[in-house]
Amino acid sequence: FVSKTLNHNFISLATKAMCGLDTKPYRISLLDIDYVCVKAPMFSFTRLRGADPMLGVEMSSTGEVACFGRDSHEAFLQAMLSTGFKLPDKHRSILLSIASDEFRSEFLEAAIALQEMGYKIYATPGTAQYYSENANLEFTVVTKPVDAEDDGVNKQGLSSALFEIRSGKIDMVINISEGATRKDEISSGYIIRRAAVDFGVSLVTNIKCAVKMAECLERGFDKFGAQHIGEFYKLPTIGWAKS
């Protein structure tokens, strides 16, 4: 990944050094690179029936995709799309379920931006209440599923998040269960995440990635044109040579 990013063969350089051969070190200045490269992992959760699609740093991915961009947002979005991630374009609808106030606060500006862009936001009760009280945002409230069969409408007329996902009304799910302590919250989070995978709905489970995705949509990077890697290698550098 580093070799691709900097256009230098570090594997060859390391092999020569380990073999005791004469080597010429590369002169590199990271400040002179006028592009960003982001690598995104790929996981085959659709093939792992019942597995919780909650990513952890200890997990081994089934593949990775590295993409270049003029800034971190462009590179991030290209990498995500290259893994098969789909943008919320069909119905322009997003389901939010964020367990803790800490992460709800971190996503506050992103939530405001998404609503201003015209996305229809569904939210579980606690998440909807937080944004209503702190930012005067009105979302469509859906209930948390209590089990895998809870996909109907309750006595108050609120539909289950599971029902909305299975009905094909949701384009993207942002589910941040980190910080949840109650058993029912942990269980409902798993059911929502698993349903997103099983019904082909894009899923984000990391707050940093969720904020970044909202920023990408706000900046219009969903309409960018992909460029060849050679176009970035042609960009001039100041303090070092690529050849």
Side-chain angles (χ1 to χ4, degrees):
F1 174 66
V2 176
S3 294
K4 284 286 187 181
T5 301
L6 301 178
N7 195 23
H8 280 307
N9 193 337
F10 287 98
I11 297 176
S12 175
L13 183 68
T15 302
K16 290 180 179 179
M18 288 186 289
C19 292
L21 302 177
D22 291 336
T23 58
K24 183 179 179 181
Y26 298 130
R27 296 179 58 191
I28 295 173
S29 174
L30 298 179
L31 297 178
D32 293 334
I33 302 174
D34 202 21
Y35 55 84
V36 176
C37 191
V38 171
K39 183 167 65 174
M42 297 180 67
F43 296 87
S44 301
F45 285 118
T46 53
R47 300 181 182 179
L48 302 174
R49 185 176 181 181
D52 188 352
M54 174 69 79
L55 306 183
V57 294
E58 75 284 354
M59 296 179 67
S60 297
S61 64
T62 54
E64 295 171 325
V65 181
C67 289
F68 288 66
R70 289 167 294 183
D71 59 26
S72 62
H73 290 85
E74 184 176 287
F76 169 80
L77 189 58
Q78 288 199 58
M80 290 291 287
L81 293 176
S82 297
T83 65
F85 189 92
K86 294 176 292 186
L87 295 176
D89 293 332
K90 186 176 181 180
H91 301 290
R92 293 184 62 81
S93 56
I94 300 171
L95 170 62
L96 294 182
S97 183
I98 305 176
S100 69
D101 284 350
E102 176 186 355
F103 291 132
R104 290 168 182 167
S105 175
E106 187 172 349
F107 193 74
L108 180 59
E109 291 186 9
I112 295 173
L114 289 173
Q115 187 167 74
E116 290 179 346
M117 284 186 282
Y119 287 98
K120 182 174 183 179
I121 309 296
Y122 295 81
T124 48
T127 302
Q129 181 179 355
Y130 178 88
Y131 290 121
S132 176
E133 294 176 350
N134 291 274
N136 198 30
L137 298 177
E138 296 301 324
F139 297 154
T140 300
V141 181
V142 293
T143 61
K144 290 184 177 181
V146 296
D147 55 47
E149 304 303 321
D150 183 11
D151 62 352
V153 179
N154 65 12
K155 295 179 180 179
Q156 288 73 38
L158 299 178
S159 60
S160 165
L162 189 57
F163 172 78
E164 300 296 342
I165 294 173
R166 289 178 173 176
S167 299
K169 298 179 181 179
I170 305 296
D171 291 336
M172 182 170 73
V173 172
I174 296 176
N175 178 260
I176 314 297
S177 289
E178 187 177 350
T181 55
R182 291 169 47 188
K183 184 177 180 180
D184 58 336
E185 291 182 343
I186 297 173
S187 298
S188 62
Y190 161 73
I191 294 171
I192 291 173
R193 292 190 297 273
R194 190 62 235 181
V197 170
D198 292 339
F199 287 87
V201 177
S202 294
L203 174 65
V204 180
T205 60
N206 177 276
I207 190 64
K208 303 295 183 185
C209 290
V211 171
K212 198 78 168 179
M213 180 60 66
E215 291 174 350
C216 289
L217 296 173
E218 184 180 22
R219 298 183 185 196
F221 283 125
D222 54 322
K223 300 176 178 62
F224 69 88
Q227 293 179 268
H228 189 274
I229 188 174
E231 297 299 314
F232 293 96
Y233 287 159
K234 291 177 183 178
L235 294 175
T237 58
I238 300 173
W240 58 286
K242 296 180 182 179
S243 59

